[in-house]
Amino acid sequence: MARELGLEMVKRGYGLVYGGGSFGLMGVIAQTVHESGGKVIGVIPEAIKKIERPELYTVPNEKIFGEEIVVQDMHTRKALMNKLSNGFITLPGGYGTMEELLEVTTWSQLNIHEKPVVLFNMLGYFEYLLKFIEHSIKERFVEEQCQGIMVAGSTAIEVLDNFENYKVPPSHYNLNWTEDASQPKEDFV
């Protein structure tokens, strides 16, 4: 399914900004976009490069999928990924994935950006998260208008259709700090 998304992204003219790793779903989509002729930018902190790119240290001349930007820390990584991308598509993952997803969702709620936030709900992976958001709205911890910040799709086509047709929910905040940070130069997800 990650491969299908990568192929569909290239078909629609999108490049990929991603966390710079080479394995798991992150590696699959990066390799697919790169090998299909799409532009790929991996943003990775030096401290975790050995974890997310171990082959660079064990396999001589290992190929990097596209351009690699090494940064100092996770905060810089996320800020740069936000600056370089037109929006966010989240594939299933663990704590780091959830942390990044919730941060860009919060940034949208605060009107720091007005970019799509789309979940690739592969095989129902995000169903419990979507139910949690509904529960949080019911309990009045999340405003009902903020439910639409995250939208989900269960196929590559549905994900990219939702990305392209995304409507930014209204916000009570106006923290869009810089115009430059919200306007990438090229189409990247």
Side-chain angles (χ1 to χ4, degrees):
M1 294 178 88
R3 240 181 236 97
E4 290 171 12
L5 179 61
L7 292 171
E8 189 66 24
M9 286 172 58
V10 172
K11 179 178 169 186
R12 295 186 191 206
Y14 290 108
L16 174 71
V17 174
Y18 82 114
S22 61
F23 54 89
L25 297 177
M26 180 169 36
V28 169
I29 193 166
Q31 182 176 6
T32 302
V33 171
H34 179 71
E35 290 177 354
S36 300
K39 187 170 181 181
V40 176
I41 300 173
V43 182
I44 190 165
E46 183 64 48
I48 62 171
K49 192 171 174 179
K50 287 183 181 180
I51 298 166
E52 293 186 359
R53 295 299 315 263
E55 73 282 2
L56 294 177
Y57 301 93
T58 58
V59 180
N61 303 317
E62 180 61 28
K63 189 164 140 184
I64 294 172
F65 306 130
E67 179 183 350
E68 179 180 72
I69 300 173
V70 180
V71 295
Q72 182 177 354
D73 54 41
M74 292 296 286
H75 298 292
T76 305
R77 175 195 219 181
K78 292 182 289 186
L80 184 56
M81 289 171 70
N82 175 53
K83 183 177 180 179
L84 295 173
S85 70
N86 293 82
F88 310 96
I89 296 175
T90 303
L91 281 63
Y95 288 136
T97 300
M98 290 299 128
E99 185 268 335
E100 291 170 349
L101 168 63
L102 293 176
E103 185 161 7
V104 298
T105 300
T106 301
W107 289 354
S108 179
Q109 179 184 9
L110 295 174
N111 200 30
I112 292 171
H113 73 76
E114 296 181 337
K115 300 175 182 183
V117 178
V118 183
L119 305 174
F120 194 168
N121 194 18
M122 294 178 176
L123 306 174
Y125 183 82
F126 289 110
E127 289 304 313
Y128 289 108
L129 175 62
L130 296 169
K131 288 181 196 283
F132 171 75
I133 293 167
E134 289 175 11
H135 177 70
S136 296
I137 290 168
K138 181 180 171 192
E139 295 295 323
R140 299 185 356 213
F141 286 105
V142 173
E143 293 180 5
E144 190 168 346
Q145 69 190 25
C146 294
Q147 183 171 12
I149 292 173
M150 283 187 229
V151 296
S154 57
T155 67
I157 290 172
E158 192 175 294
V159 165
L160 287 171
D161 286 349
N162 288 343
F163 184 87
E164 292 170 352
N165 297 310
Y166 186 82
K167 303 265 189 279
V168 180
S171 172
H172 297 297
Y173 306 95
N174 189 16
L175 300 179
N176 194 342
W177 294 319
T178 65
E179 288 295 318
D180 185 53
S182 65
Q183 300 301 321
K185 306 288 186 263
E186 300 179 55
D187 286 336
F188 285 99
V189 175

